């Protein structure tokens, strides 16, 4: 926690990064040392800055982000070492260097994209604070509450086992011995897909539409009206966004973290009231409906509402926030793959005849 004792504030992503790279829970001193390490590596090359500033503002920010990481591949220590004939058993050393360099520069890269796309390119670099707070300042936010939200957000979105699309994409590309810059860009391209990284903004739109519908009809937001609306939605053959998960069979712990944050920092927020009422009602409705394997909320049910509360209204950019976190988490798996000497991934193929039998 930036405030000191565990539980006194939100966790620092640097602490989770240490855990993912070492398998050990860090001390406060170790977290501080990693913050300082990332601060020292935060040096976005001029050609990357120039590229970002040259991109059309109607380009999707995730496309900008992917291009920026690709452009920074000129700095890859792994690629240079491989070209020089480094031993296979030493791959992990320069892979780790690249992982730390990419991670250190993600906040500036993403923040410059935000400022160019939405605020005319006015940008001030910041490295005096922790990784998350520096990102917030470069985005243009100077609010301790938003700092705390970003510390939580960037921590809980970073790693979610290797089976999700973006982390798996990073590992698949990395298995070819592509360097972490190439693998990180590929991960972002997977995250940009509507079935992956866009879910939180779709949930927020659904919640806001629900609120507007209720207001236009003069219906209050309570458990009775939400239950009625849920059944109307299901009987019309539509889904309830933000509920269910391909792997989990209980409430997503990342949802719980965000709910606790909201109860602490924005208990009277109108959109949170809607989210909280949905949470009280929806699992029971979905269980009664009987066609959902997991009737509980996932991480996407909450994050958009928290961002909206702090005035972060650029929906299209929400996936970039996710991407800053996910690239940092996924690339730690690239480090471990090189350290363990894991082989090239070769997906199996199926013939048309075999597919017909499935």
């Amino acid at each position: 926690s930036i405030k000191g004792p565990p539980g006194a504030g939100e966790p620092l992503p640097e602490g989770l990064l240490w855990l993912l790279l070492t398998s050990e829970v860090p001390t406060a001193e170790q977290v501080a040392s990693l913050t300082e390490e990332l601060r020292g590596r935060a040096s976005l090359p001029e050609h990357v800055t120039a590229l970002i500033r040259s991109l059309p503002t109607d380009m999707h920010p995730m496309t900008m982000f992917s291009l920026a990481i690709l452009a920074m591949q000129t700095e890859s220590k792994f690629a240079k070492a491989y070209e020089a004939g480094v031993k296979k058993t030493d791959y992990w050393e320069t892979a780790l260097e690249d992982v730390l360099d990419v991670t250190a520069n993600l906040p500036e890269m993403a923040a410059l994209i935000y400022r160019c796309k939405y605020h005319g390119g006015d940008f001030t670099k910041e490295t005096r604070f922790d990784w998350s707070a520096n990102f917030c300042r470069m985005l243009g936010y100077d609010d301790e509450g938003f700092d705390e939200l970003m510390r939580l957000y960037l921590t809980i979105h970073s790693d979610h086992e290797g089976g999700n699309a973006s982390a798996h994409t990073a590992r698949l590309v990395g298995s070819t011995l592509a360097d972490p810059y190439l693998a990180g860009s590929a991960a972002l391209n997977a995250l940009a897909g509507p079935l992956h990284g866009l879910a939180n903004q779709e949930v927020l739109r659904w919640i806001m539409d629900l609120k507007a519908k209720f207001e236009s009809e003069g219906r209050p937001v309570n458990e009775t009206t939400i239950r009625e609306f849920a059944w109307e939605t299901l009987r019309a053959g539509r889904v309830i966004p933000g509920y269910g998960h391909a792997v989990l069979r209980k409430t997503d712990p990342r949802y719980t973290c965000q709910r606790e944050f909201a109860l602490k920092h924005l208990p009277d927020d109108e959109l949170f009231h809607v989210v909280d009422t949905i949470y009280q009602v929806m699992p029971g409705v979905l269980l009664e409906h009987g066609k959902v394997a997991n009737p509980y909320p996932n991480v996407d049910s909450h994050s958009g509402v928290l961002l909206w509360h702090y005035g972060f209204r650029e929906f299209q950019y929400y996936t970039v926030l996710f991407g800053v976190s996910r690239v940092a988490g996924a690339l730690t798996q690239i480090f471990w793959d090189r350290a363990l000497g894991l082989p090239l991934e070769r997906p199996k193929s199926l013939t048309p005849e075999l597919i017909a039998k499935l």
Side-chain angles (χ1 to χ4, degrees), residues 256-267:
T256 303
C257 290
Q258 292 179 100
R259 173 177 161 76
E260 290 172 351
F261 182 94
L263 287 169
K264 180 178 179 181
H265 296 283
L266 47 133

Side-chain angles (χ1 to χ4, degrees), residues 177-254:
L177 297 186
D179 60 69
Y181 293 86
L182 299 176
S185 177
L188 287 176
N189 294 337
L191 188 65
L195 294 182
H196 193 7
L198 300 189
N200 63 352
Q201 57 189 274
E202 291 178 352
V203 172
L204 178 58
R205 282 196 182 97
W206 182 80
I207 291 169
M208 294 178 75
D209 288 347
L210 181 156
K211 183 173 178 291
K213 176 180 170 63
F214 277 30
E215 288 176 351
S216 68
E217 296 173 354
R219 297 163 71 182
V221 175
N222 56 45
E223 293 188 13
T224 299
T225 56
I226 291 293
R227 185 176 293 106
E228 291 170 351
F229 182 78
W231 278 112
E232 290 170 11
T233 301
L234 294 170
R235 285 169 180 149
R238 298 190 297 271
V239 299
I240 306 293
Y243 279 73
H245 193 277
V247 177
L248 295 172
R249 292 298 176 264
K250 63 179 182 179
T251 298
D252 192 326
R254 299 168 299 170

Side-chain angles (χ1 to χ4, degrees), residues 111-189:
L112 181 58
I113 289 168
Y114 176 78
R115 299 300 301 180
C116 287
K117 183 170 176 64
Y118 301 108
H119 297 281
D122 181 33
F123 177 80
T124 303
K125 182 171 179 174
E126 181 60 82
T127 59
R128 291 176 296 167
F129 308 109
D130 59 278
W131 194 66
S132 303
N134 287 333
F135 184 31
C136 293
R137 297 299 174 278
M138 289 187 283
L139 286 170
Y141 284 79
D142 189 359
D143 180 332
E144 176 57 27
F146 190 69
D147 291 352
E148 282 284 82
L149 173 60
M150 278 294 101
R151 291 177 186 122
L152 174 64
Y153 187 98
L154 296 175
T155 296
I156 65 177
H157 285 82
S158 61
D159 187 67
H160 181 215
E161 47 88 25
N164 68 81
S166 51
H168 178 66
T169 299
R171 295 189 65 193
L172 176 63
V173 172
S175 78
T176 71
L177 297 186
D179 60 69
Y181 293 86
L182 299 176
S185 177
L188 287 176
N189 294 337

Side-chain angles (χ1 to χ4, degrees), residues 44-72 105-118 120-121 123 317 320:
L44 198 61
E46 181 56 39
H47 71 272
V48 179
T49 299
L51 170 68
I52 293 171
R53 290 190 175 278
S54 74
L55 296 173
T57 55
D58 61 351
M59 179 179 285
H60 196 287
M62 284 295 282
T63 307
M64 294 178 170
F65 200 10
S66 177
L67 284 170
I69 293 183
L70 278 179
M72 196 175 168
N105 285 282
L106 289 171
E108 182 178 354
M109 202 181 296
L112 181 58
I113 289 168
Y114 176 78
R115 299 300 301 180
C116 287
K117 183 170 176 64
Y118 301 108
F123 177 80
Y317 190 85
V320 176

Side-chain angles (χ1 to χ4, degrees), residues 23 33 35 41 48 58 66 75 94 115 123 159 192 200 212 238 273 276 324 326 331-332 347 354:
S23 296
S33 72
T35 297
R41 291 173 180 264
V48 179
D58 61 351
S66 177
E75 312 306 301
T94 48
R115 299 300 301 180
F123 177 80
D159 187 67
N200 63 352
R238 298 190 297 271
H273 172 61
D276 188 50
V324 170
R326 179 52 54 86
L331 291 188
T332 65
L354 202 53

